[in-house]
């Protein structure tokens, strides 16, 4: 009897573990977001309006194009390199919340309560520098050069940053409970130069200009998506 009870417990636990595995079935995205570290705005050639629209999910064509293109890069890589299929971003439209950029912005559990899919996924992209070094030079009384105000200081910073792109994917089952988390990553081993100028006086500072070498963002994203695809294949 004891052996039977033990076997029953093992079988039950095994079924629970199996049920929590990621399934190779078409899966909708309940949340899609892109976060760009401030220091990477210039290398990605993003203006203030676009970065603000992404952060606040405000209606903006440039921000919408960036996010949609980013999603399509990931979807193409996963669909072509694995047996997994990511459904289009508008799959849950009318069923869960979408932002003014037409991006799904609903948590896994909430989406599971309002729809009846067997599996859900959340995707977060982040672009940041994994290391940097900065050298700043200051010019006192920049009014001599025709800029600034009396008593101010002109600061010129030269930075070398190393870009990193992460694609974090979280899965949930039909009940919305988390089952797996993957992180596709690409770290660029060459630095990107950024030059910034700012004006400071009595504790306050105002940015003036920022110039940077542009980065091939979509190429970096493809590399991170390939790493993500490798992890998808290792699940099976």
């Amino acid at each position: 009897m004891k052996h039977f009870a033990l076997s029953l417990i093992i079988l039950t636990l095994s079924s629970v573990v199996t049920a929590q595995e990621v399934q190779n079935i078409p899966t909708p995205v309940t949340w899609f977001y892109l976060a760009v570290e401030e220091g990477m705005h210039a290398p990605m050639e993003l203006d203030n309006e676009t970065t603000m629209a992404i952060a606040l999910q405000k209606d903006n064509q440039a921000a919408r194009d960036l996010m949609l293109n980013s999603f399509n890069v990931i979807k193409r890589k996963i669909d072509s390199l694995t047996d997994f299929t990511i459904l289009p971003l508008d799959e849950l439209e009318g069923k869960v919340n979408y932002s003014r950029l037409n991006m799904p912005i609903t948590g896994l559990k909430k989406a599971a309560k309002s729809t009846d899919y067997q599996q859900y996924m959340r995707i977060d992209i982040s672009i940041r520098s994994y290391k940097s070094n900065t050298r700043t030079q200051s010019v006192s009384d920049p009014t001599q050069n025709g800029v600034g105000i009396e008593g101010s200081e002109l600061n010129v910073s030269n930075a070398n940053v190393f870009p990193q792109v992460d694609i974090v994917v979280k899965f949930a089952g039909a009940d919305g409970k988390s089952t797996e988390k993957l992180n596709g990553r690409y770290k660029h081993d060459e630095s990107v130069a950024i030059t910034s100028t700012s004006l400071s006086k009595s504790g306050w500072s105002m940015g003036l200009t920022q110039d940077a070498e542009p980065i091939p963002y979509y190429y970096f994203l493809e590399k991170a998506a390939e790493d993500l695809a490798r992890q998808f294949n290792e699940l099976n």
Side-chain angles (χ1 to χ4, degrees), residues 29 31-35 67 74 104 108 121-127 165-170 181-184 217 221 228:
V29 180
W31 173 283
F32 184 73
Y33 193 73
L34 186 153
M67 295 192 70
I74 297 170
L108 294 166
M121 64 190 304
R122 165 181 175 149
I123 304 176
D124 288 273
I125 304 172
S126 68
I127 303 97
V165 177
D166 285 283
I167 308 170
V168 177
V169 177
K170 295 180 181 179
K181 177 181 176 181
L182 304 178
N183 186 358
Y217 162 65
L221 185 64
L228 184 67

Side-chain angles (χ1 to χ4, degrees), residues 130-145:
Y130 66 90
K131 69 176 180 178
S132 64
N133 54 71
T134 303
R135 181 172 56 87
T136 301
Q137 292 178 311
S138 299
V139 178
S140 299
D141 195 13
T143 52
Q144 294 179 0
N145 298 321

Side-chain angles (χ1 to χ4, degrees), residues 65-126:
D65 290 345
L66 176 63
M67 295 192 70
L68 186 57
N69 291 340
S70 297
F71 172 77
N72 287 334
V73 166
I74 297 170
K75 177 173 169 55
R76 282 196 298 269
K77 282 295 180 181
I78 298 302
D79 288 354
S80 63
L81 298 178
T82 75
D83 293 329
F84 194 86
T85 300
I86 302 176
L87 291 172
L89 276 182
D90 61 359
E91 177 69 20
L92 298 178
E93 202 161 0
K95 301 174 184 177
V96 303
N97 293 330
Y98 277 70
S99 72
R100 284 168 289 182
L101 285 176
N102 294 329
M103 298 294 133
I105 50 170
T106 303
L108 294 166
K109 288 184 177 180
K110 187 173 181 180
K113 290 180 180 179
S114 55
T115 58
D116 56 359
Y117 292 81
Q118 292 303 301
Q119 185 170 256
Y120 302 89
M121 64 190 304
R122 165 181 175 149
I123 304 176
D124 288 273
I125 304 172
S126 68

Side-chain angles (χ1 to χ4, degrees), residues 146-172:
V147 296
I149 57 178
E150 187 176 354
S152 63
E153 194 172 68
L154 185 67
N155 303 305
V156 180
S157 298
N158 295 296
N160 289 303
V161 301
F162 293 79
Q164 175 174 309
V165 177
D166 285 283
I167 308 170
V168 177
V169 177
K170 295 180 181 179
F171 290 95

